[in-house]
Amino acid sequence: QVQLVESGGGLVQTGGSLRLSCATSGSGSSIDRVAWFRQVPGELRELVASISRDRTTNYGDFVEGRFTISRDSAKNTVYLQMNSLKPEDTAVYYCAALEYGDSQYLSWGQGTQVTVSS
């Protein structure tokens, strides 16, 4: 069982930056990939970025080079550095873990709110 806890959300002005953290615990060695998703009420959850155990990354098209995902294996933590934030980045951000052998992200954190004011 993998547990994930997000932190680092908050209120920031347009053009500002935030760094989100996702601390993992439990069966950490079973994790293949960790991802950040985001969701706005009434809309579908969308992938923001993901990183594999070998640090292969991928990003949603809307990121456009503004965000960077990274991981600190010693701390069992994945980060999402978000720069040049826009009001349309306002959402609840979730981290999720994909374990080896699974085809879906089955372990999710509780989410952290990011609000970008114009």
Side-chain angles (χ1 to χ4, degrees), residues 21-64:
S21 299
C22 173
T24 66
S25 61
S27 305
S29 62
S30 67
I31 297 175
D32 178 20
R33 178 173 289 269
V34 175
W36 286 96
F37 291 82
R38 69 185 189 183
Q39 188 169 26
V40 175
E43 297 185 12
L44 294 175
R45 189 171 295 183
E46 63 181 346
L47 176 69
V48 179
S50 70
I51 185 167
S52 67
R53 182 169 290 275
D54 66 1
R55 292 180 167 76
T56 301
T57 60
N58 71 291
Y59 295 89
D61 291 342
F62 61 86
V63 170
E64 299 175 325

Side-chain angles (χ1 to χ4, degrees), residues 87-100:
E88 50 264 44
D89 293 317
T90 296
V92 178
Y93 285 69
Y94 298 89
C95 67
L98 176 68
E99 297 184 60
Y100 291 106

Side-chain angles (χ1 to χ4, degrees), residues 1 6 12 14 17 30 38 40-41 52 55 58 61 64 71 78-79 81 88 90 96 99-100 103-105 114 118:
Q1 187 83 21
E6 304 99 332
V12 65
T14 296
S17 298
S30 67
R38 69 185 189 183
V40 175
S52 67
R55 292 180 167 76
N58 71 291
D61 291 342
E64 299 175 325
R71 67 192 299 165
V78 172
Y79 303 99
Q81 178 67 45
E88 50 264 44
T90 296
E99 297 184 60
Y100 291 106
S103 58
Q104 300 179 61
Y105 290 89
V114 171
S118 56

